[in-house]
Amino acid sequence: MVLKKIVNWARVKSPWIIHVNTGGCNGCDIEVVDVLTPRYDVERLGILIQGSPRHADVLVVTGPATQQMKSRLKLLWEQTPDPKFVIAIGACACSGGIFRHSYIPCLGIDTVIPVDIYIPGCPPKPEAIIFGIAQLLAKLQGKDTPVITPKEIDLKSHIKDKEAFAI
Amino acid sequence: MAKKKIKVASPKTGCAACMPNTMEIPLGPQHPALKEPEHFLLEVEGEIIVNVTPRIGYVHRGIEKLAETKTYSQNLTLVERVCGICSHVHSISLVNAVEGILSKHDFEVPERAQYIRTIILELERVHSHILWLGIAAHEIGFDTLFMLSWRDRELSMDLLEEITGNRVNYGINEIGGIRRNMTKEQLDKTIKYMHLTIERLDRYVEICLKEDTIRLRTQGVGILLPSKAKELCTCGPTARASGLAVDIRYDDPYSAYKGALRDILKVVTYDTNDVFSRVVVRLIETIEACKYIIWLVENMPDGPVFAKPPRKIPEAKILSRTEAPRGELIHYLWSNNTNKPYRLKITTPTLANILSVSEMLKGDYIADSTISLASIDPCFSCEDRMITIINKDRRKSKVWTWNFDQLRKYSREWNAKNKRWKK
């Protein structure tokens, strides 16, 4: 029990991350790197970026998981040692975003691997990313985190002039 | 393990089959040096790289096809998502193409809108080049410069956020003008921040020219001779660092570059052809870009920023070229008198520059491959595309490199075989 407490304490104090781009537009990636640099500086929370998935606790995933990257993302997830956590950054990673209706099924990363924290936005501001990380740290400590269940909205009922929007 | 036949090098004949064994090292798609998924196959002989094969296609999202299903105004949002770093220049390209069609039907964009667009274009160049300086410093292990330059990049990011409302995908363009006007306070702040950025950049130029940490890692590495650069159709800072004076802003001006700004525009070139020369070209270009912003703010005309365009775009085919931070960006638009484009084709600078990487890396050490690769400022999200080769017999691939006589012979044979075939 004491050992478990110590391990948990260590995990909360130094969540090392690996950044995976699964075909995003670079917008979220530069915001992730921005978070690591002096203005926002998350190194004060003990967060360090790692080169290899074997050294990381947290997978930070951006991009809509394109057809080519799906199998690679799964491999990376399998290489990360347990217990592992996944953060999906950006609208693409959460749901596919603007590329959802493309002929390539870009439906977000949760169709490939389980996700712990979703940070929506196109791209999310660095403050939002830090808030998301704080939520993850709270989750590690065993505190309650807000869970938002997505609601399905029937957009077709809102469209009055259907012919104008027909594709 | 199955036994492999080992070829023994024979000194008498120097043919390629008898060469000493080379090893293949994969780089990517997930690699600490690459921020994006991309694959490079390095063929090495000991420590020295012999051949490089890039493989693209990991970031293919089908944007060109998606663009056909959206209206022009929606497409501006989509096209910005081609690349997060040079998002404004993509929307400028599309807007220029559409306005180029409309200009034949007496439609004019207000001049103030063009000036504000150009300010954001140059601000984007400033932030992109400083970002690149940080990444390049990170690749050679000089993390202090990485942190410092990213701190100073925040100045231009703050300006962009204040002017457009967003940090990365600005969404300020609209066909016929822009969505937000700039207030006087914003203009004053722009000048103030730009002077500060120039001051900081001067220091970085001094660091990059004098510091051994940078000079020893970049000088003589990743050499691309001007003749090769021309042969491989490089563009942007990569070509300018090889001594070729190509700049779309000067050669084929658009937006506010058409006016008096062209007189003070400088095409920055440097002639050592290595990574060091690319560092110098980008740094000096950033300082120049700051000066253009100050000039644009000082000479800003008054007036409206938006003119309402017609909903349907007349039928035309148009090509619009712009100078992105990485080089020449081409948008080819085919409209068909509806509110949606019939075809949109995007060709980005990294696609033009990617082949020069394999030329740069040949003969270098493996340890230098990352900085050589970073020196073209690769943006793989822009350039990824998919090619489908359609064959009659899908199982066999055919190489169609025939001359005219062979083609004629083939057509005779084909016609003899398929006599009853009719159209």
Side-chain angles (χ1 to χ4, degrees):
Chain A
M1 199 61 205
V2 177
L3 193 71
K4 205 178 174 187
K5 259 187 182 176
I6 292 171
V7 168
N8 203 28
W9 171 81
R11 195 167 291 140
V12 172
K13 291 293 174 189
S14 65
W16 285 3
I17 62 167
I18 177 162
H19 173 220
V20 187
N21 183 336
T22 59
C25 76
N26 260 334
C28 302
D29 305 69
I30 54 170
E31 295 296 70
V32 168
V33 183
D34 223 32
V35 163
L36 296 162
T37 47
R39 168 72 73 88
Y40 298 100
D41 197 19
V42 287
E43 210 168 313
R44 64 203 149 102
L45 303 175
I47 293 166
L48 264 183
I49 195 158
Q50 289 297 315
S52 163
R54 291 176 208 282
H55 298 164
D57 305 310
V58 183
L59 270 172
V60 173
V61 189
T62 58
T66 54
Q67 194 71 16
Q68 294 268 334
M69 280 307 286
K70 269 179 187 165
S71 54
R72 275 97 181 175
L73 179 61
K74 212 170 181 180
L75 268 176
L76 282 167
W77 186 78
E78 280 161 4
Q79 282 175 18
T80 318
D82 272 330
K84 51 202 161 195
F85 307 95
V86 180
I87 304 183
I89 292 185
C92 293
C94 292
S95 67
I98 199 163
F99 308 114
R100 193 177 173 87
H101 300 297
S102 169
Y103 61 81
I104 288 181
C106 303
L107 299 172
I109 60 161
D110 53 2
T111 55
V112 189
I113 54 172
V115 179
D116 292 281
I117 299 281
Y118 295 90
I119 306 175
C122 189
K125 286 184 74 173
E127 289 91 338
I129 295 176
I130 293 172
F131 177 73
I133 293 167
Q135 293 295 319
L136 180 75
L137 296 182
K139 200 176 177 181
L140 289 182
Q141 283 165 344
K143 290 175 190 167
D144 285 343
T145 48
V147 177
I148 302 162
T149 44
K151 232 199 270 175
E152 243 182 57
I153 304 167
D154 188 21
L155 281 175
K156 278 175 189 168
S157 63
H158 293 272
I159 298 169
K160 284 170 192 168
D161 185 11
K162 280 182 186 173
E163 279 177 20
F165 287 89
I167 292 168
Chain B
M1 274 177 74
K3 277 184 184 177
K4 281 181 185 175
K5 280 183 184 175
I6 300 165
K7 285 169 189 168
V8 184
S10 68
K12 284 175 190 171
T13 52
C15 69
C18 314
M19 286 278 278
N21 265 359
T22 52
M23 237 172 79
E24 283 177 347
I25 294 179
L27 192 81
Q30 174 66 27
H31 192 268
L34 301 166
K35 295 279 169 288
E36 287 163 89
E38 206 64 39
H39 180 77
F40 291 90
L41 196 65
L42 310 178
E43 229 171 89
V44 293
E45 229 182 84
E47 278 281 295
I48 291 167
I49 298 164
V50 185
N51 199 10
V52 182
T53 325
R55 178 217 185 284
I56 62 171
Y58 291 100
V59 203
H60 181 71
R61 291 158 296 180
I63 288 178
E64 284 174 8
K65 194 69 190 168
L66 257 182
E68 290 164 20
T69 64
K70 292 180 192 294
T71 61
Y72 286 99
S73 193
Q74 289 169 335
N75 267 328
L76 289 175
T77 319
L78 176 70
V79 155
E80 277 193 337
R81 267 76 177 171
V82 173
C83 172
I85 304 175
C86 41
S87 59
H88 188 68
V89 81
H90 274 279
S91 66
I92 279 276
S93 289
L94 181 61
V95 152
N96 275 349
V98 176
E99 283 163 4
I101 296 169
L102 289 175
S103 69
K104 284 173 191 164
H105 302 264
D106 300 328
F107 180 80
E108 252 186 45
V109 186
E111 206 172 347
R112 190 178 167 89
Q114 296 281 26
Y115 269 65
I116 293 174
R117 274 179 191 175
T118 316
I119 285 175
I120 295 161
L121 267 177
E122 290 299 327
L123 269 176
E124 195 178 65
R125 196 181 312 280
V126 170
H127 105 71
S128 171
H129 280 353
I130 299 177
L131 176 146
W132 176 81
L133 178 70
I135 296 285
H138 179 67
E139 302 291 7
I140 59 173
F142 193 7
D143 266 3
T144 318
L145 186 60
F146 167 54
M147 291 292 173
L148 281 174
S149 57
W150 276 66
R151 183 199 63 190
D152 296 342
R153 177 177 162 273
E154 290 296 327
L155 286 176
S156 46
M157 294 303 281
D158 279 353
L159 271 181
L160 282 169
E161 192 177 359
E162 191 161 329
I163 296 168
T164 65
N166 294 315
R167 275 171 63 92
V168 176
N169 294 324
Y170 314 113
I172 194 171
N173 270 329
E174 185 55 70
I175 291 157
I178 54 167
R179 288 193 177 123
R180 285 171 171 220
N181 204 345
M182 271 174 92
T183 58
K184 199 168 178 307
E185 292 84 55
Q186 283 173 343
L187 293 173
D188 293 342
K189 200 178 175 184
T190 312
I191 289 185
K192 195 181 132 199
Y193 273 33
M194 280 302 112
H195 280 300
L196 220 90
T197 313
I198 290 176
E199 203 180 282
R200 300 250 173 99
L201 280 167
D202 280 339
R203 190 162 159 252
Y204 296 145
V205 172
E206 203 179 307
I207 288 172
C208 288
L209 292 178
K210 287 178 183 167
E211 189 74 31
D212 277 352
T213 323
I214 287 184
R215 268 184 38 234
L216 294 173
R217 279 302 299 274
T218 55
Q219 282 181 341
V221 172
I223 286 177
L224 183 72
L225 294 173
S227 56
K228 275 282 172 193
K230 214 169 192 177
E231 204 178 295
L232 294 167
C233 303
T234 55
C235 57
T238 317
R240 268 171 258 149
S242 292
L244 306 175
V246 281
D247 195 331
I248 306 300
R249 289 178 290 172
Y250 190 81
D251 299 338
D252 184 10
Y254 53 93
S255 297
Y257 300 114
K258 273 178 194 166
L261 181 60
R262 192 164 179 249
D263 301 333
I264 64 157
L265 205 73
K266 278 183 204 161
V267 182
V268 184
T269 56
Y270 203 71
D271 56 354
T272 53
N273 306 334
D274 50 5
V275 177
F276 182 70
S277 119
R278 277 160 226 144
V279 176
V280 173
V281 162
R282 286 214 173 82
L283 273 173
I284 295 174
E285 218 168 73
T286 322
I287 296 173
E288 291 298 320
C290 294
K291 286 175 186 166
Y292 305 152
I293 293 168
I294 293 168
W295 186 92
L296 282 164
V297 171
E298 281 167 353
N299 295 290
M300 177 89 81
D302 280 334
V305 291
F306 183 69
K308 200 170 186 297
R311 196 159 154 265
K312 289 179 179 176
I313 307 298
E315 190 175 343
K317 294 172 193 172
I318 195 163
L319 185 93
S320 97
R321 307 200 291 167
T322 40
E323 179 79 11
R326 287 158 183 76
E328 183 183 351
L329 172 69
I330 299 169
H331 274 228
Y332 174 72
L333 180 73
W334 190 349
S335 61
N336 59 349
N337 205 13
T338 55
N339 58 352
K340 288 169 190 166
Y342 178 71
R343 176 88 172 93
L344 177 68
K345 175 107 187 79
I346 304 168
T347 307
T348 54
T350 313
L351 189 70
N353 285 337
I354 194 86
L355 285 175
S356 68
V357 169
S358 49
E359 187 58 37
M360 281 174 206
L361 289 176
K362 273 176 203 167
D364 272 3
Y365 291 111
I366 303 171
D368 291 332
S369 64
T370 51
I371 178 67
S372 290
L373 186 61
S375 74
I376 66 158
D377 201 355
C379 178
F380 301 119
S381 63
C382 296
E383 50 120 35
D384 258 349
R385 52 200 64 240
M386 199 176 65
I387 299 164
T388 316
I389 300 162
I390 299 167
N391 278 340
K392 206 172 79 178
D393 184 0
R394 293 202 174 179
R395 268 170 276 170
K396 288 177 191 169
S397 61
K398 274 182 188 171
V399 184
W400 296 73
T401 47
W402 291 350
N403 58 23
F404 186 67
D405 291 336
Q406 283 168 327
L407 200 67
R408 186 184 273 170
K409 196 186 162 195
Y410 177 77
S411 78
R412 275 196 208 121
E413 280 172 10
W414 191 89
N415 279 323
K417 213 193 286 176
N418 304 294
K419 259 188 177 175
R420 286 180 195 167
W421 186 80
K422 279 174 190 172
K423 264 190 179 177

